[in-house]
């Protein structure tokens, strides 16, 4: 063999650089020391030392979601790999491209219960798009490139590459990243022209249409968002987004109805319920969107565009199925739409009048208070101060997340990072680390709950080390508010273990990590605290002491049809059914 | 809005859960899957079925192309039309899967199962089992003075019928290989 032989660790780093990786989020350990040694010797890759491997994956997710690129993670074997599992599952559910390199015990030790051995490919098989155990140094370069190809192609997702220590040390050939083609994996990018023509026909004939778009628009890229805006503008149809799709369409545009789903707006859910044509693009008819399935939008024809055929006809049977990339299909659909007469204006005007009536309910209205900070008020004021700053927002999970989705508007994709499918508390802070590293000069805010923030609070140390000016905006209600809300609605107000006792002093906690700590206790302080937070050139934790009893509305109670929403605390729309009690 | 201390939650009737499942007719499908013969590929397929709650009635796998390292998995499964469609889409999106063919949908196909069946006994029962084996074209692959082991290839139904007839005649052990199947006619899938 004439080709130069490299060590496994060298091959791994060379492949990362060739794949365009700039930052690796990681945590060292015995089974990855050869890779860390190689990292030490070079300057083309930046390693960011997180404080927990779950944080590493969420940081990579934040990086990926805010840039459209593949996030990269490096962790050791055994506990390093198992700690990464939550992040991998999160990335899998939300279709986030991540490549996670895990160390493994030497090949001859595998299966012997060696120190820090775990069956990483076994454990991660159901929570990754694909995974590899590299047993032969000759496969290493190809597998590295394949991992990136698989992670970013088609419906993106996490890929694990398990790397036994002896393979990291062995010598073998490097393979150029363009020198291979995957044996079997070729996602369909272009939609079937006949189906696209049928879709255009339905669009031209629609009287009560609605666009329903999701994370697929974000994953497809900024071109998809631009084309979506063009098509929506061209047709004059209303549009709603899933929680993963926010920013895929300009949030302050009048054709935008707000978020759909369990805590979506009244007008968005009713438009979905009463439409005669639903155009779903890169959205997956999740149970948080459909409510009770057999009552979901029964009178509509449905077009579904998705790059993953398994998303189509999974929960809801559709009339036109288009497998393909959102941007590619949208471009073809726009071309088709131009060839047909515009949809009938009179029917559409009537539909918009109906939607305006629903809008008139002002479903996000809340009872303001002169003495207590309402969480919605805090977010309204936050939005007022960040809306002209092209801010990036991550969230934790709970009521604050849903309020953030309702009250913050996003004009562009890649600005909103949240754990939608898995609902992982502890996502937001490490995700903000990844976002801030990708966008050093930008305003990055983690909208948090006091319970969630404690789940990955150790990342404040990472934030301190890399001087990341991340802003943590805690809506502190001293409760696992979303749990308390469900206990209100489903369990007779018995607040079993949902009170957050013994909370830290978040101001002092911030200071102990070299960050600024701020607190607001009454409405009159809110604006100043937000202004001070934004002005600070360092990390800030804001402890916003909000109403402890506020619940998040509108709400489709679990098991209810999507047109039966509770709009406010005063109104118990319907008894929650037996079905509802069993649902999550 | 808090409904103050409503007392213990009323007991709930959960029978609706099972009624959801069998509302629609289940159909049996035979699916052929061409995969890379690599470590873990079978675990991926089986994990998909168990993780998503799909049925496996039988599953067979063996390498069919030693040069390209391709294996063919034949799965007999059952579900509603929507579930069967899901199963195929989920299989197709596994990275090492090259091709998924629904033989049941794609036209007439032949399906064969293989079994070894041991019958122990003496006298008339023993002779009778041999007679039945002859009718079913099963072959004797092992015999002692007190037993026969039969080898049999055929459709699942034929094997079932044969085994049922042997049951009262001293049936002691069965090994079945699961169905392998292929479309009829000259075309490969
Ligand atoms: C890791 C994890 N554990 C448990 C849950 C269930 N859960 C959902 S929301 C929530 C409470 C979150 O409380 P907090 O962060 O204070 O947010 P709030 O709802 O009060 O705004 C819990 C426990 C979860 N989503 N994730
Ligand atoms: Mg809380």
């Amino acid at each position: 063999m004439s080709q130069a032989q490299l060590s496994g660790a060298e091959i791994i780093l060379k492949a990362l650089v060739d794949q365009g990786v700039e930052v690796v989020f990681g945590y060292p350990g015995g089974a990855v020391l050869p890779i860390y040694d190689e990292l030490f010797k070079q300057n083309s890759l930046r390693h960011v030392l997180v404080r927990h491997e779950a944080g590493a994956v969420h940081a990579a997710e934040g990086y990926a979601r805010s840039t459209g690129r593949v996030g990269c993670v490096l962790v050791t074997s055994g506990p390093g790999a198992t700690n990464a599992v939550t992040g991998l599952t999160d990335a899998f559910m939300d279709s986030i491209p991540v490549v996670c390199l895990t160390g493994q015990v030497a090949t001859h030790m595998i299966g012997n219960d060696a120190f820090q051995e775990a069956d990483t490919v076994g454990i991660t098989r159901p929570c990754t798009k694909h995974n590899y155990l590299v047993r032969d140094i000759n496969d290493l370069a190809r597998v590295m490139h394949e991992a990136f190809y698989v992670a970013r192609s088609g419906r993106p997702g996490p890929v694990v590459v398990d790397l036994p220590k002896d393979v990291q040390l062995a010598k073998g050939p490097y393979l150029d990243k363009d020198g291979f083609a995957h044996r079997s994996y070729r996602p369909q990018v272009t939609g079937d022209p006949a189906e696209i023509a049928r879709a255009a026909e339905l669009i031209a004939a629609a009287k009560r249409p609605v666009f329903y778009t999701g994370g697929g628009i974000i994953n497809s890229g900024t071109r998809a968002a631009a084309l979506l805006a063009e098509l929506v503008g061209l047709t004059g149809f209303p549009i709603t987004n899933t929680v993963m799709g926010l920013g895929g369409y300009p949030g302050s545009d009048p054709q935008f109805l707000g978020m759909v789903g369990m805590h979506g707006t009244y007008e968005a859910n009713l438009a979905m319920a009463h439409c005669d044509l639903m155009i779903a693009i890169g959205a997956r008819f999740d149970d948080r969107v459909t409510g009770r399935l057999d009552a979901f939008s029964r009178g509509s024809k449905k077009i579904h565009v998705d790059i993953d055929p398994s998303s189509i006809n999974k929960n809801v049977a559709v009339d036109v199925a288009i497998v393909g990339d959102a941007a590619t299909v949208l471009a073809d659909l726009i071309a088709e739409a131009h060839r047909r007469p515009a949809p009938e204006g009179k029917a559409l005007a009537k539909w918009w009048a109906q939607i305006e009536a629903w809008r008139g309910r002002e479903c996000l209205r809340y009872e303001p208070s002169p003495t207590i900070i309402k969480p919605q008020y805090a977010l309204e004021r936050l939005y007022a101060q960040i809306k002209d700053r092209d801010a990036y927002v991550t969230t934790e999970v709970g009521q604050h997340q849903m309020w953030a989705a309702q009250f913050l508007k996003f004009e562009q994709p890649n600005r909103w990072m949240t754990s939608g499918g898995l609902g992982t508390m502890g996502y937001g802070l490490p995700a903000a680390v990844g976002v801030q590293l990708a966008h050093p000069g930008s305003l990055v805010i983690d909208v948090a709950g006091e319970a969630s923030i404690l789940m990955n609070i150790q990342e404040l140390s990472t934030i301190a080390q890399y001087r990341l000016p991340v802003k943590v905006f805690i809506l502190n209600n001293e409760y696992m508010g979303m749990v308390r809300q469900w206990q209100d609605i489903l369990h007779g107000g018995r607040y079993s273990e949902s009170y957050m006792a013994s909370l830290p002093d978040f101001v002092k906690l911030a200071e102990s990590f070299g960050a600024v700590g701020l607190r607001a206790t009454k409405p009159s302080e809110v604006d100043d605290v937000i202004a001070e937070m934004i002005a600070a050139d360092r990390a800030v934790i804001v402890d916003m002491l909000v109403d402890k009893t506020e619940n998040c509305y509108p709400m489709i109670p679990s098991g209810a049809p999507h047109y039966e929403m509770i709009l406010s605390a005063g109104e118990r729309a319907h008894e929650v059914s037996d079905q509802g009690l069993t649902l999550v | 809005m808090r409904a103050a201390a409503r007392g213990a939650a009323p007991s709930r009737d959960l029978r609706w859960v099972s009624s959801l499942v069998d509302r629609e007719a289940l159909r049996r499908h035979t699916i052929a899957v061409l995969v890379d013969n690599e470590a873990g590929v079978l675990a991926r397929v089986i994990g998909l079925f168990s993780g998503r709650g799909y049925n496996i009635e039988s599953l067979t796998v063996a390498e069919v192309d030693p040069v390209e390292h391709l294996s063919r998995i034949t799965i007999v499964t059952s579900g509603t039309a929507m579930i069967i469609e899901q199963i195929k889409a989920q299989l197709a999106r596994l990275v090492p899967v090259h091709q998924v063919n629904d033989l049941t949908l794609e036209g007439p196909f032949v399906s064969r199962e293989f079994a070894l069946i041991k019958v122990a006994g003496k006298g008339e029962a023993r002779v009778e089992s041999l007679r039945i084996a002859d009718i079913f074209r099963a072959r004797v692959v092992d015999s002692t003075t007190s037993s026969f082991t039969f080898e049999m290839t055929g459709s699942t139904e034929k094997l079932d019928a044969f085994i049922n007839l042997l049951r009262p005649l001293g049936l002691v052990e069965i090994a079945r290989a699961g169905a392998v199947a292929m479309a009829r006619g000259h075309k490969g899938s």
Side-chain angles (χ1 to χ4, degrees):
Chain A
M1 274 210 90
S2 61
Q3 205 190 347
Q5 301 279 297
L6 301 180
S7 76
E10 287 170 332
I11 291 171
I12 291 162
L13 288 207
K14 196 166 160 51
L16 293 184
V17 172
D18 280 0
Q19 288 293 338
V21 174
E22 288 168 354
V23 190
V24 178
F25 300 92
Y27 207 96
V32 282
L33 284 180
I35 304 175
Y36 272 86
D37 200 37
E38 237 14 85
L39 273 171
F40 189 81
K41 297 180 196 157
Q42 56 82 51
N43 278 321
S44 16
L45 272 180
R46 182 166 186 204
H47 179 274
V48 170
L49 180 68
V50 296
R51 298 317 196 247
H52 188 292
E53 290 86 353
V57 186
H58 294 322
E61 288 184 271
Y63 182 92
R65 193 71 176 161
S66 68
T67 58
R69 304 168 60 179
V70 179
C72 188
V73 177
L74 171 60
V75 298
T76 194
S77 65
T82 55
N83 272 350
V85 166
T86 299
L88 293 169
T89 311
D90 192 272
F92 189 52
M93 290 288 268
D94 284 345
S95 310
I96 312 293
V98 168
V99 169
C100 177
L101 311 177
T102 56
Q104 183 54 278
V105 301
T107 46
H108 69 277
M109 308 278 278
I110 290 178
N112 284 329
D113 302 323
F115 178 63
Q116 295 200 326
E117 180 184 356
D119 176 6
T120 301
V121 286
I123 291 169
T124 61
R125 200 173 282 127
C127 65
T128 53
K129 182 171 172 186
H130 195 51
N131 61 15
Y132 302 85
L133 168 61
V134 184
R135 288 173 173 274
D136 182 347
I137 181 75
N138 294 304
D139 294 334
L140 180 57
R142 175 185 56 81
V143 167
M144 288 294 297
H145 295 314
E146 263 191 39
F148 278 86
Y149 168 75
V150 170
R152 81 169 97 82
S153 311
R155 179 174 179 178
V159 176
V160 162
V161 184
D162 203 22
L163 299 159
K165 198 168 178 182
D166 55 330
V167 174
Q168 299 169 32
L169 293 165
K171 297 266 186 201
Y174 186 70
L175 175 80
D176 206 61
K177 87 173 189 328
D178 307 316
F180 95 104
H182 198 279
R183 271 166 63 85
S184 53
Y185 187 62
R186 305 248 189 304
Q188 183 178 335
V189 173
T190 310
D192 178 350
E195 293 297 294
I196 290 175
R198 280 184 61 207
E201 239 156 66
L202 289 180
I203 287 174
K207 294 191 160 55
R208 300 186 312 279
V210 66
F211 280 96
Y212 148 57
T213 71
I217 295 289
I218 319 285
N219 276 334
S220 178
T222 47
R223 183 167 160 259
L227 289 167
L228 176 65
E230 187 181 335
L231 183 61
V232 173
L234 183 75
T235 54
F237 293 176
I239 173 168
T240 178
N241 286 166
T242 68
V243 73
M244 293 308 297
L246 294 174
Y249 187 83
S252 56
D253 186 271
Q255 276 169 263
F256 184 59
L257 306 184
M259 182 173 71
V260 69
M262 184 175 272
H263 293 289
T265 65
Y266 187 65
E267 51 271 31
N269 283 317
L270 285 195
M272 292 281 279
H274 295 284
C275 63
D276 72 343
L277 178 67
M278 184 182 295
I279 308 149
I281 309 176
R284 59 186 176 88
F285 295 90
D286 174 80
D287 56 67
R288 280 293 181 279
V289 164
T290 61
R292 206 177 84 202
L293 258 185
D294 59 8
F296 177 68
S297 195
R298 275 182 292 206
S300 63
K301 289 230 185 306
K302 297 171 189 78
I303 299 167
H304 192 181
V305 180
D306 207 291
I307 196 145
D308 177 5
S310 78
S311 284
I312 296 175
N313 290 330
K314 180 170 66 178
N315 304 328
V316 173
V318 299
D319 302 275
V320 177
I322 303 174
V323 176
D325 166 59
T328 313
V329 172
L330 276 164
D332 293 347
L333 204 48
I334 289 169
E336 273 293 327
H338 277 302
R339 264 184 240 132
R340 281 158 221 273
E344 196 213 318
K346 232 166 81 198
L348 194 58
K350 210 170 135 204
W351 178 227
W352 268 113
Q354 170 67 75
I355 289 171
E356 291 306 334
W358 290 327
R359 262 185 179 157
R361 293 288 295 264
E362 295 180 37
C363 68
L364 297 181
R365 206 176 43 199
Y366 60 95
E367 211 60 63
S369 161
T371 48
I372 306 173
I373 304 173
K374 291 283 177 176
Q376 301 96 322
Y377 175 74
L379 286 166
E380 267 178 357
R381 298 317 304 157
L382 179 69
Y383 180 62
Q385 293 198 43
I386 67 172
K387 67 173 193 244
D388 298 323
R389 292 175 186 268
D390 195 17
Y392 292 77
V393 175
T394 70
T395 76
E396 307 293 336
V397 170
Q399 292 179 320
H400 63 276
Q401 174 192 29
M402 291 298 110
W403 279 316
Q406 293 172 341
F407 285 88
L408 307 179
K409 298 188 184 100
F410 300 91
E411 307 305 315
Q412 294 180 67
N414 308 107
R415 300 300 188 278
W416 162 253
M417 277 63 52
T418 196
S419 172
L422 196 63
T424 311
M425 293 169 69
Y427 166 88
L429 187 61
V433 167
V435 175
Q436 189 77 74
L437 276 154
H439 309 275
S442 298
L443 177 60
V444 179
I445 304 170
D446 172 25
V447 175
E450 80 297 330
S452 296
I453 196 69
L454 290 179
M455 284 217 178
N456 272 319
I457 195 73
Q458 76 286 345
E459 298 310 324
L460 285 177
S461 178
T462 312
I463 286 172
Q465 178 178 346
Y466 298 93
R467 299 177 190 280
L468 304 175
V470 166
K471 319 295 186 211
V472 183
F473 193 76
I474 303 176
L475 296 178
N476 185 347
N477 55 8
E478 288 181 30
Y479 274 98
M480 299 173 197
M482 192 56 94
V483 174
R484 186 187 44 65
Q485 176 162 350
W486 280 52
Q487 288 171 334
D488 270 335
I489 293 169
L490 293 165
H491 297 277
R494 293 179 294 279
Y495 296 159
S496 181
E497 303 295 325
S498 53
Y499 181 66
M500 286 301 289
S502 306
L503 286 169
D505 179 332
F506 284 109
V507 172
K508 286 192 185 141
L509 183 74
E511 286 161 1
S512 75
F513 281 100
V516 178
L518 302 172
R519 178 171 293 128
T521 58
K522 45 182 191 282
S524 58
E525 295 166 354
V526 169
D527 268 324
D528 287 348
V529 163
I530 292 172
E532 202 178 332
M533 172 188 91
I534 293 172
D537 59 357
R538 286 189 286 154
V540 179
I541 296 183
V542 169
D543 188 17
M544 211 27 95
L545 301 185
V546 300
D547 191 345
K548 295 172 196 174
T549 60
E550 190 71 19
N551 281 345
C552 184
Y553 301 105
M555 179 178 184
I556 303 171
S558 46
H562 63 149
Y563 45 80
E564 284 181 8
M565 270 162 285
I566 305 179
L567 286 186
S568 68
E571 164 199 355
R572 283 297 290 268
H574 305 267
E575 262 301 301
V576 171
S577 61
D578 293 342
Q579 281 96 322
L581 199 67
T582 67
L583 299 175
V584 177
Chain B
M1 85 157 261
R2 217 164 304 140
R6 263 206 268 153
S11 71
R12 303 272 178 160
D13 182 357
L14 297 180
R15 265 169 305 182
W16 66 276
V17 176
S18 52
S19 74
L20 273 184
V21 179
D22 46 26
R23 208 180 290 162
E24 227 188 299
L26 301 185
R27 320 136 171 248
R28 173 187 289 178
H29 282 238
T30 301
I31 298 171
V33 190
L34 199 63
V35 300
D36 283 325
N37 181 14
E38 61 177 33
V41 66
L42 194 57
R44 268 178 230 290
V45 170
I46 291 172
L48 173 69
F49 276 75
S50 63
R52 294 186 181 267
Y54 306 143
N55 278 326
I56 298 183
E57 292 188 6
S58 88
L59 183 148
T60 63
V61 58
E63 189 169 75
V64 292
D65 185 339
V67 181
E68 293 288 319
H69 299 292
L70 294 174
S71 292
R72 178 165 167 133
I73 303 176
T74 309
I75 305 169
V76 181
T77 182
S78 58
T80 61
M82 215 154 152
I83 297 270
I84 297 287
E85 199 189 331
Q86 260 300 294
I87 290 174
K88 289 183 283 182
Q90 292 289 352
L91 283 168
R93 84 177 179 142
L94 295 178
V95 170
V97 167
H98 289 247
Q99 205 180 319
V100 178
N101 286 95
D102 185 340
L103 297 171
T104 304
L105 271 195
E106 287 171 16
F109 66 103
V110 278
S111 172
R112 288 292 176 271
E113 236 194 282
F114 174 80
L116 293 172
I117 301 135
K118 188 180 286 181
V119 181
K122 293 194 165 182
E124 187 49 33
R126 186 171 133 83
V127 179
E128 176 65 9
S129 71
L130 199 58
R131 245 182 256 131
I132 294 172
D134 196 41
I135 296 167
F136 277 80
R137 293 187 215 289
R139 285 204 317 140
V140 178
V141 289
D142 180 60
S143 72
T144 69
T145 53
S146 58
S147 73
F148 283 122
T149 301
F150 299 111
E151 164 199 311
M152 160 122 175
T153 303
S155 68
T156 302
E157 293 71 23
K158 186 173 164 191
L159 261 65
D160 287 345
F162 181 53
I163 288 166
N164 281 335
L165 285 174
L166 291 184
R167 231 173 261 288
L169 301 175
L171 184 92
V172 290
E173 195 175 346
I174 308 168
R176 289 175 78 152
V180 291
M182 196 171 275
R184 290 186 187 274
H186 65 277
K187 275 212 320 238
S189 50

